[in-house]
Amino acid sequence: DELIHRAMARFMDPARSANHSDPEDTAAVLFAAATDGTDRLRYLAGDDAHMMAAQRSETTDEAWRQAMIENFDIKLSE
């Protein structure tokens, strides 16, 4: 429960939402994903998603994992 509360607090922080996608843009991408008739797996909605995908592709799995641990204030048991 504590982990979820800390992560949700990060998601709900108003300072983080400054660069989030507009709901209308997200809805348009979701509609396209549901109706394009392809087997495509991933769709990116908004500049924030494109930025995060670019960051992810430029780093190792280990570095990305560490960044997410720090970003969401995850406390791992030793």
Side-chain angles (χ1 to χ4, degrees):
D1 285 345
E2 182 183 344
L3 171 63
I4 297 299
H5 285 25
R6 279 197 315 269
M8 288 307 297
R10 297 281 184 162
F11 278 119
M12 302 305 288
D13 181 354
R16 291 178 55 90
S17 65
N19 295 324
H20 286 179
S21 304
D22 291 326
E24 294 82 9
D25 294 338
T26 302
V29 172
L30 287 170
F31 182 79
T35 61
D36 71 2
T38 70
D39 291 335
R40 185 173 166 188
L41 179 61
R42 290 182 178 84
Y43 295 79
L44 301 176
D47 292 340
D48 56 330
H50 286 274
M51 181 184 68
M52 185 175 229
Q55 289 171 342
R56 175 63 189 100
S57 70
E58 295 170 358
T59 190
T60 65
D61 290 341
E62 294 79 11
W64 185 255
R65 178 179 179 270
Q66 187 60 40
M68 293 302 102
I69 287 169
E70 293 169 8
N71 189 35
F72 291 106
D73 194 25
I74 298 170
K75 308 262 190 286
L76 300 175
S77 57
E78 300 294 321

